[in-house]
Amino acid sequence: MISTLFFILPLLLFYTVIVVYAERKISAFMQDRLGPMEVGYYGLLQTVADLLKLIQKEDILPAAADKKLFKIAPLLIFVPIFLGFSVLPLSPAWQSSPFSSALFFLLAVISLDVIGIIVAGWASNNKYSMLGTVRSAAQIISYEIPLGLSVLCVCVLSQSLDLQEISVQQGILVKDQANHLFGISAWGVDTTLTGGFITWNVFRMPVLFFVWIIFFIASLAESNRAPFDLPEAESELVAGFQTEYSGSRWAIIMLAEYAMMLLVSFIGVILFWGSWNTPLPNMGSFTLADWTTGSPGSISFQVWGIFWLVSKTLFTVALQIWVRWTYPRTRLDQLTSLSWKFLTPVALLLLIICSLWKLLL
Amino acid sequence: MQEFVLYLFIVASVVSILIIILNRNVFYAALALLVCLISLAGIYALLNAEFLAITQLLIYVGGVMVLIIFGIMLTNRISGKPLYVKSQNWIAGISISVGLCAMIVYAYTPMTLQTSSANTAENHIQQIGKELMSTYAAPFELSGILLLVCLVGAALTASSFKKNTHG
Amino acid sequence: MAKSDILFYLATFLFCSGLLITFTKQNAIMILVGIELMLNAANLNLVVFNYQKQNLDGQLFALFIILVAVCEAAVGIAIILKTYHFYHTSVPDQINELKEKF
């Protein structure tokens, strides 16, 4: 438990510094600019400089704000998200708090995030903040349904809510069951020992790819990222619920936002893209999957697991950044109708297809 | 350690309830209710009802609480002024609730909790799933219908029908 | 005092304070809060009693109570919003159109 704390917290801080830099560079690349270039080689130290500036800034409390709530709101946003990291399986032999309903717990934790946002918006005593808060509550509540349904599709396949169990099923370490190509046992292509990307959940049941698209859209909305960043729409609401925040408190809110991106990416990778399993399959005498998994009990076992999980997750984060700088922001009515009229019915349909796939094939 | 955490949760829930009763600010009352519900979830988790604890977090804290806070915001005209609530009937209320409390405590005979026989099964969730699909299948289906009816009902009640405008 | 006794008294306290809140507060949303507290008191009792049983009946009952509570909250908030829309107040005592005027 303690070891996870000492792993996740530095990872989170380091990741935030890197990803803020990456986001600026990627957006600059997409808009044909250079991005930060001054501080350090290629602007590498720009985020560090920004962080130092934020910490030095005066901590401004608006006169008409609700002082106590205003002060604790950033922590209320950050703590639930950080709680979510406590149940993630980081490698085959390392899950800090293993318990059988970890996935359910993660869903609960994601929904707790909204309370902090509401408190922040209310305590700021500002019209922009209030509007951002109302939008955020509507958004997070309505997107929880497609998110929950898409997670349910994976549960149908893996018959478990334990994240470590779900992870083990997607690789060569699986014990008491056989994996078949696309989950169709009638073809007789046994992929249990092949491993690699072939046994990831999206390949064990190809329908899950479409489910992942729904999950990805819903997770963008849950983490308030563009094109669903209505709660903080900077061009209409100044900065939404965080308008009144400055200095270190604002830094915590930003940290929470980036941590949320990382958390939903972790969940996406664990559920759909093979968790800590290697993407390289065993091919004849080239047992790539065995080589890149490590032997159980050794240190390489841990290192490979963390390496694959974190690199796949960072790839998903890059995808989120790409989406942010590609699509324009949606309107509020478009946002809710996308959730209720499109994503939810499609997710229900996919859930039925997944159940039939699991039952019949 | 577990005992200590349990007592911590109990104290937290009692204090938050006192805040709800004594505080006049509705928003603070809602946040106190939030603390109370989270501590109840903690108590459930310590009583081996892990699934129920997470359900409590997911549904009450993430759903009902947000609904209640949303209701507070929308009945406050987004004015920014704290919404104070008046109270009335203190004598009647206190006498009825204290009387009920006394009656329940009088009727209660102390019992001992056999912790040994508690269900600490590993596959707790599988057990709940099987029970839901076998013994409790009828209430389960009925609750599905109830949810659907309530969804439609709430949507119809809250939405405004205007014939002349679009949508 | 044993652990179960304390939890039982906590449940009693929850129920009675829920009742008190429902009685005294002059706001529809606070009444809803009181009702939620009373339902939670019932849930806590069921979980405590289930703790010493082999089966899961108490927990499942609590699960259904949570479900009904959600329905009640959703419909309740919808009604409160609608009444606020018509009467511009969330104080139940002020909605007295049908009351006989003396």
Side-chain angles (χ1 to χ4, degrees):
Chain A
M1 234 173 113
I2 300 293
S3 57
T4 310
L5 188 67
F6 283 120
F7 177 74
I8 287 287
L9 203 55
L11 175 79
L12 210 56
L13 295 174
F14 184 67
Y15 147 85
T16 310
V17 170
I18 295 296
V19 163
V20 171
Y21 175 74
E23 177 143 29
R24 288 169 145 196
K25 277 294 185 191
I26 291 174
S27 67
F29 172 72
M30 294 177 78
Q31 295 168 348
D32 209 6
R33 297 184 280 116
L34 281 176
M37 290 296 278
E38 291 293 326
V39 191
Y41 182 71
Y42 253 68
L44 268 172
L45 294 175
Q46 182 67 50
T47 328
V48 180
D50 283 348
L51 261 182
L52 285 177
K53 184 198 75 176
L54 279 177
I55 293 168
Q56 285 172 7
K57 267 190 170 177
E58 184 193 351
D59 184 20
I60 300 171
L61 277 174
D66 193 326
K67 302 276 187 311
K68 277 171 281 180
L69 291 183
F70 188 82
K71 279 180 187 163
I72 59 165
L75 289 176
L76 281 183
I77 301 175
F78 180 68
V79 167
I81 297 171
F82 189 60
L83 262 181
F85 284 98
S86 64
V87 294
L88 296 178
L90 293 169
S91 82
W94 184 2
Q95 185 185 17
S96 56
S97 316
F99 70 109
S100 55
S101 43
L103 187 53
F104 198 39
F105 176 76
L106 272 176
L107 277 183
V109 156
I110 289 177
S111 68
L112 286 190
D113 176 41
V114 68
I115 299 284
I117 291 178
I118 287 176
V119 171
W122 178 275
S124 296
N125 201 358
N126 174 323
K127 290 245 164 48
Y128 290 128
S129 304
M130 277 308 289
L131 283 172
T133 306
V134 171
R135 285 180 174 190
S136 138
Q139 173 178 332
I140 293 185
I141 290 263
S142 49
Y143 273 86
E144 217 140 85
I145 291 148
L147 190 81
L149 284 173
S150 56
V151 166
L152 211 56
C153 293
V154 180
C155 298
V156 164
L157 172 65
S158 54
Q159 315 249 304
S160 173
L161 288 173
D162 190 344
L163 290 171
Q164 191 68 285
E165 170 71 27
I166 293 173
S167 305
V168 168
Q169 285 179 6
Q170 301 181 51
I172 51 169
L173 296 170
V174 60
K175 289 272 162 31
D176 46 359
Q177 74 182 77
N179 281 325
H180 296 281
L181 188 64
F182 299 147
I184 305 172
S185 50
W187 283 3
V189 186
D190 194 330
T191 57
T192 313
L193 294 173
T194 314
F197 67 89
I198 297 169
T199 48
W200 290 0
N201 268 347
V202 275
F203 291 95
R204 283 169 75 203
M205 188 188 283
V207 188
L208 282 183
F209 181 74
F210 304 101
V211 177
W212 175 74
I213 292 175
I214 290 178
F215 176 87
F216 187 69
I217 296 172
S219 66
L220 281 179
E222 288 283 327
S223 50
N224 295 333
R225 289 286 294 181
F228 306 113
D229 60 343
L230 292 144
E232 44 184 277
E234 55 278 273
S235 50
E236 1 168 343
L237 289 184
V238 188
F241 68 90
Q242 40 181 289
T243 306
E244 297 289 349
Y245 281 92
S246 61
S248 52
R249 292 188 202 286
W250 185 78
I252 294 176
I253 291 180
M254 284 319 280
L255 180 66
E257 188 186 323
Y258 280 96
M260 187 70 168
M261 280 169 69
L262 186 69
L263 183 63
V264 290
S265 303
F266 262 127
I267 301 172
V269 166
I270 288 170
L271 293 185
F272 298 95
W273 298 100
S275 194
W276 35 252
N277 285 298
T278 165
L280 305 170
N282 283 332
M283 291 180 295
S285 56
F286 286 102
T287 52
L288 289 172
D290 291 338
W291 294 341
T292 52
T293 303
S295 51
S298 65
I299 191 84
S300 63
F301 202 47
Q302 305 271 19
V303 174
W304 277 116
I306 291 175
F307 171 72
W308 291 121
L309 181 64
V310 170
S311 50
K312 278 187 266 189
T313 305
L314 289 181
F315 184 75
T316 323
V317 171
L319 212 60
Q320 287 183 335
I321 295 174
W322 181 17
V323 167
R324 170 169 179 177
W325 295 98
T326 306
Y327 290 105
R329 181 182 307 131
T330 53
R331 280 201 320 265
L332 188 62
D333 62 315
Q334 290 169 335
L335 175 99
T336 39
S337 65
L338 174 70
S339 164
W340 291 105
K341 292 182 184 163
F342 179 72
L343 289 182
T344 308
V346 171
L348 278 171
L349 192 70
L350 287 174
L351 180 60
I352 293 171
I353 295 175
C354 281
S355 318
L356 289 178
W357 192 291
K358 177 79 185 174
L359 276 177
L360 300 179
L361 297 173
Chain B
M1 183 63 192
Q2 277 213 346
E3 294 275 303
F4 174 73
V5 176
L6 183 71
Y7 291 130
L8 203 73
F9 280 134
I10 291 174
V11 169
S13 55
V14 169
V15 168
S16 56
I17 290 167
L18 289 179
I19 290 174
I20 301 176
I21 295 174
L22 299 175
N23 205 299
R24 286 173 58 224
N25 190 332
V26 179
F27 194 71
Y28 278 22
L31 289 182
L33 178 66
L34 180 83
V35 174
C36 177
L37 293 176
I38 291 178
S39 18
L40 281 180
I43 293 173
Y44 294 165
L46 289 172
L47 291 177
N48 291 334
E50 163 193 311
F51 184 77
L52 202 62
I54 301 172
T55 312
Q56 170 102 352
L57 275 186
L58 183 70
I59 293 180
Y60 263 115
V61 182
V64 173
M65 276 318 298
V66 175
L67 265 182
I68 286 178
I69 294 176
F70 217 70
I72 292 173
M73 283 177 177
L74 290 182
T75 54
N76 197 19
R77 288 183 216 164
I78 312 190
S79 64
K81 274 177 286 180
L83 180 63
Y84 286 118
V85 58
K86 290 193 199 112
S87 32
Q88 57 179 10
N89 302 336
W90 273 107
I91 300 168
I94 286 180
S95 53
I96 288 178
S97 53
V98 170
L100 185 71
C101 192
M103 264 165 64
I104 296 175
V105 171
Y106 177 73
Y108 173 72
T109 42
M111 55 176 180
T112 45
L113 211 59
Q114 292 125 12
T115 44
S116 56
S117 66
N119 37 42
T120 49
E122 286 286 305
N123 45 6
H124 179 79
I125 289 196
Q126 274 96 331
Q127 244 181 311
I128 286 189
K130 274 173 195 156
E131 287 275 314
L132 272 183
M133 281 297 157
S134 55
T135 322
Y136 289 88
F140 184 68
E141 298 294 329
L142 275 178
S143 60
I145 296 173
L146 177 67
L147 276 175
L148 182 67
V149 168
C150 130
L151 181 74
V152 174
L156 275 182
T157 314
S159 67
S160 50
F161 291 104
K162 285 176 189 160
K163 280 176 185 168
N164 298 328
T165 53
H166 300 287
Chain C
M1 217 166 16
K3 201 162 70 175
S4 58
D5 292 336
I6 295 176
L7 286 170
F8 177 80
Y9 290 133
L10 175 67
T12 313
F13 176 70
L14 268 173
F15 189 87
C16 294
S17 44
L19 199 66
L20 181 65
I21 290 165
T22 315
F23 265 118
T24 53
K25 300 283 179 182
Q26 279 191 335
N27 187 320
I29 289 171
M30 289 307 290
I31 291 173
L32 210 62
V33 168
I35 295 172
E36 294 296 333
L37 274 181
M38 289 194 269
L39 287 166
N40 266 290
N43 266 355
L44 180 61
N45 244 354
L46 284 169
V47 173
V48 173
F49 291 138
N50 183 71
Y51 185 56
Q52 52 187 345
K53 292 269 187 274
Q54 281 296 342
N55 54 19
L56 289 168
D57 289 353
Q59 288 186 33
L60 285 163
F61 210 107
L63 215 58
F64 287 119
I65 290 181
I66 288 181
L67 218 140
V68 173
V70 169
C71 293
E72 172 253 318
V75 176
I77 290 281
I79 292 172
I80 290 171
L81 289 185
K82 204 67 180 173
T83 21
Y84 183 79
H85 190 71
F86 277 124
Y87 297 101
H88 296 286
T89 178
S90 54
V91 180
D93 287 355
Q94 286 176 14
I95 305 167
N96 51 7
E97 247 174 37
L98 291 177
K99 192 177 173 185
E100 200 178 350
K101 299 270 190 320
F102 291 105

